[in-house]
Amino acid sequence: MAGKIVVLGTGGTIAGTSDVPGASVGYTAGQLGIAQLLAAVPQLAQAARGPLVAEQLAQVDSKDMTHALWERLVQRCLVHLADETVAGIVITHGTDTLEETAWLLHNLLPTHKPVVLTSAMRPATALAPDGPQNLLDAVALAAEPDAHGVLAVAAGVVHGAREVAKMHPLRLDAFASGDGGPLGWMDAGPVRWAHARAPEASVPRHGGLAARLGQLAWPRVQIVLSHAGADGSVVDALVTAGVVDGLVAAATGNGTVHQELEQALTRAAAAGVAVCVASRCPQGRMLALPPDAPWSSAPGLSPVKARVSLMLQLMDR
């Protein structure tokens, strides 16, 4: 018998409902349990190739994702990944912070089995919900023998954790992978890998941290935006109040920062605050900063993913 597929439910639009029959907007996320979602898609049994197990971790709108829920999600993934009877994991998640959760898991979890995040742009009660097909694709992908590591699938497209980003607030194909492109596609059956084979597995950068998350405090890392007319008042206020351990500057272009904000970041770094710069441009990859730069950079990462990386770096020192 093939291994089990474990489906972890966290809520999101995929589990959302509306009081207006058939409505695609104006709904409340995270209302249906994961067992209800699975029962609505009878084709899942065949796609799983083995037993299908459901576990409800939370029922939240992903805009309200918390570090505590991240901890619980990581711990449950570790338990199931260590289980020899489990072939893969599916996580149902809201779209708003899916890319952050994916990047967190990518940095922490072992990669010998697939962990697939999926979501929906329409609630379960919509006239034509997209969640059932996304869930079916996710289960099929998690059951693929050559799939591994943290992946995301929506609208038939498979994305990697580093590249995936929500690019549109409403349309069904809201996710994209930027210049790197998708890893593959789900075409009514087995995954069609973009380069005819599954991507190589990578070693999680902070794998040793995963089991210790519950013993550590999450660093307070904030994102500040560089823009025309920016100043350093927010940075100075955070540092003076002592409520920040790290700062990510969402920089313009190739990592450039308004001069007044730059001066404030320099003061923050001198005060012992960890500073990282990531481009706010949705595509491309900023060049790495020179070795003598006063702070670090995050080439290829969005500011929200750079924040995740900086938090993990501060925890893993």
Side-chain angles (χ1 to χ4, degrees):
M1 180 181 291
K4 295 184 293 188
I5 301 299
V6 178
V7 185
L8 304 177
T10 70
T13 296
I14 194 170
T17 61
S18 173
D19 293 333
V20 180
S24 295
V25 296
Y27 56 87
T28 303
Q31 298 302 294
L32 301 181
I34 191 61
Q36 292 173 276
L37 297 185
L38 297 184
V41 189
Q43 298 87 343
L44 291 175
Q46 181 177 356
R49 307 184 188 183
L52 199 61
V53 178
E55 184 175 331
Q56 191 79 54
L57 294 190
Q59 289 181 252
V60 300
D61 187 321
S62 77
K63 69 178 177 61
D64 298 319
M65 181 58 64
T66 65
H67 296 157
L69 181 50
W70 269 351
E71 284 181 16
R72 189 176 179 205
L73 183 58
V74 169
Q75 296 310 316
R76 294 311 296 160
C77 284
L78 288 175
V79 168
H80 292 302
L81 290 173
D83 186 342
E84 294 183 356
T85 69
V86 172
I89 298 172
V90 170
I91 301 169
T92 58
H93 199 288
T95 59
D96 286 346
T97 58
L98 182 146
E99 62 204 79
E100 297 171 59
T101 298
W103 184 239
L104 177 92
L105 298 178
H106 172 84
N107 278 275
L108 292 172
L109 298 180
T111 60
H112 62 299
K113 297 177 183 179
V115 176
V116 183
L117 288 89
T118 195
S119 55
M121 291 298 292
R122 293 175 178 169
T125 53
L127 181 62
D130 54 324
Q133 184 65 57
N134 288 345
L135 183 56
L136 181 63
D137 287 344
V139 169
L141 180 58
E144 280 288 328
D146 56 347
H148 51 254
V150 179
L151 306 166
V153 64
V157 183
V158 180
H159 303 279
R162 170 179 279 273
E163 296 82 9
V164 67
K166 185 174 181 179
M167 302 296 287
H168 198 281
L170 294 173
R171 71 188 186 198
L172 296 185
D173 58 338
F175 290 97
S177 287
D179 291 346
L183 298 181
W185 300 268
M186 302 302 296
D187 294 325
V191 60
R192 178 166 58 90
W193 297 112
H195 300 287
R197 59 186 176 86
E200 296 293 330
S202 60
V203 178
R205 185 169 183 179
H206 299 283
L209 176 62
R212 299 187 289 118
L213 278 185
Q215 306 166 22
L216 302 171
W218 286 81
R220 296 164 297 182
V221 177
Q222 300 294 334
I223 299 173
V224 292
L225 179 67
S226 185
H227 53 81
D231 61 34
S233 59
V234 171
V235 171
D236 289 335
L238 290 169
V239 175
T240 299
V243 295
V244 65
D245 300 303
L247 291 166
V248 173
T252 47
N254 187 37
T256 56
V257 178
H258 191 286
Q259 59 182 357
E260 292 194 27
L261 179 57
E262 183 176 5
Q263 292 166 7
L265 292 173
T266 300
R267 292 191 293 272
V273 175
V275 177
C276 179
V277 172
S279 178
R280 71 185 204 188
C281 295
Q283 293 189 324
R285 184 185 181 97
M286 62 176 277
L287 300 177
L289 297 177
D292 60 347
W295 42 66
S296 64
S297 61
L301 294 184
S302 65
V304 293
K305 289 183 180 178
R307 175 181 175 269
V308 171
S309 289
L310 184 54
M311 284 194 298
L312 294 178
Q313 290 167 20
L314 293 172
M315 296 173 81
D316 205 17
R317 292 191 295 190

